[in-house]
Amino acid sequence: MRDLFAGVTRFQQRKYPELRSRFEQLANGQQPDALFITCSDSRVDPALLTDCQPGELFVIRNAGNIIGRQGEADLGIAATIEYAVNALQVPQIIVCGHTKCGAMAGLLDPDSTSSLPEVSKWVSTARKALEAIPQDETTDRLTQVVQANIRLQLCNLMTFPAVADAVEARRLTLKGWLYDFETGTVSVLTPETEQFSQPVAQTV
Ligand SMILES: [Zn+2]
C-alpha cells in the first residue's frame, strides 16, 4: 500500500505555498462556479478535467453519478444540492458521466453486481436509464446507458424545488457532460436534440 501521507508532505512543501494566497482569500467564503456531480471513479478528476482551482467546484460524487428524485434521494445528496443552489447560489449544475463506468455496467448486467447487494440496490434506482436505451446489441450499450443516465439525472434534479425554482428564475443552468478519460474529451448534451456532441475546441 502506498503511503499517501508522503503526498501530503509534498503538497505542503511544494503546492501549498503556491496556493497560500488563494486559500487565505477562500477563508472569507467560497463562490464556486458550479455544482459538479460525477462518479466516484478514480479515473475521473473534476478539477483536473475542467482545469479548475480550489474554490471553483462544489462536488457531489457517488458510484454512477446518481441523484434520484426528490424524496427518494439520499439525504446527503438532497442537502448538498440545496446548499449549493440556495446558499452558494451556483450558476450551473453539471452532471458528468464517464465512459467505462462500472456502476452503469452493473445496471446493464445485474449479474456483475450480484455479490454487491448495496451496489445492486443503488444502481437499480437508475433503471429508467436502462429502459430508455434501444435493445440493440450491436451498439455500445454501456455508453448509451451512461448517456441515458445523465439525461435521467438531469430530469431528477428538476424534481428538487430549489433547482426547479432557480432554473425558472433563470439563475441556474443544468448541463450534461460525458467524459471520455481515454481521450480526455468531453461531449456535451444539447437539450433540444438530447444528443451528445463534442464542442469545437477553442484555443484558450
Ligand atoms: Zn463510474
Side-chain angles (χ1 to χ4, degrees):
M1 183 173 62
R2 267 181 71 200
D3 175 13
L4 293 184
F5 204 82
V8 174
T9 305
R10 285 195 300 278
F11 166 71
Q12 289 169 341
Q13 292 176 351
R14 299 177 197 169
K15 283 265 166 104
Y16 191 81
E18 295 168 17
L19 293 165
R20 182 183 303 277
S21 62
R22 172 178 284 272
F23 280 117
E24 283 170 357
Q25 201 179 3
L26 287 170
N28 299 319
Q30 58 173 327
Q31 197 172 10
D33 294 306
L35 168 60
F36 197 90
I37 300 171
T38 193
C39 186
S40 298
D41 195 297
S42 64
R43 300 164 294 186
V44 179
D45 186 327
L48 184 68
L49 79 93
T50 56
D51 194 26
C52 274
Q53 295 292 315
E56 294 178 340
L57 292 181
F58 200 70
V59 178
I60 293 176
R61 300 189 73 162
N62 60 44
N65 41 271
I66 295 167
I67 296 300
R69 295 175 66 80
Q70 198 263 337
E72 297 166 1
D74 174 283
L75 180 59
I77 293 174
T80 309
I81 291 169
E82 183 181 69
Y83 190 78
V85 174
N86 285 353
L88 298 175
Q89 308 247 315
V90 293
Q92 58 187 325
I93 300 178
I94 298 167
V95 176
C96 181
H98 69 99
T99 52
K100 307 271 167 76
C101 182
M104 289 301 106
L107 181 60
L108 206 51
D109 176 16
D111 288 346
S112 69
T113 57
S114 58
S115 63
L116 303 167
E118 300 295 346
V119 173
S120 199
K121 264 190 278 181
W122 175 244
V123 298
S124 73
T125 64
R127 62 187 165 274
K128 274 191 180 166
L130 188 58
E131 293 161 11
I133 67 168
Q135 301 302 307
D136 177 0
E137 298 291 338
T138 60
T139 55
D140 178 358
R141 297 190 80 220
L142 179 53
T143 300
Q144 286 192 336
V145 79
V146 167
Q147 292 178 344
N149 182 51
I150 295 166
R151 295 185 195 101
L152 173 65
Q153 302 312 330
L154 288 168
C155 291
N156 285 342
L157 277 170
M158 287 297 284
T159 66
F160 291 79
V163 173
D165 291 351
V167 169
E168 175 76 17
R170 295 177 182 270
R171 64 174 178 84
L172 177 68
T173 306
L174 307 188
K175 297 176 180 172
W177 287 10
L178 171 60
Y179 173 52
D180 182 341
F181 62 84
E182 291 175 279
T183 59
T185 53
V186 174
S187 301
V188 176
L189 179 66
T190 303
E192 292 77 19
T193 62
E194 297 215 317
Q195 298 302 310
F196 286 82
S197 59
Q198 282 179 36
V200 178
Q202 294 175 339
T203 307
V204 286

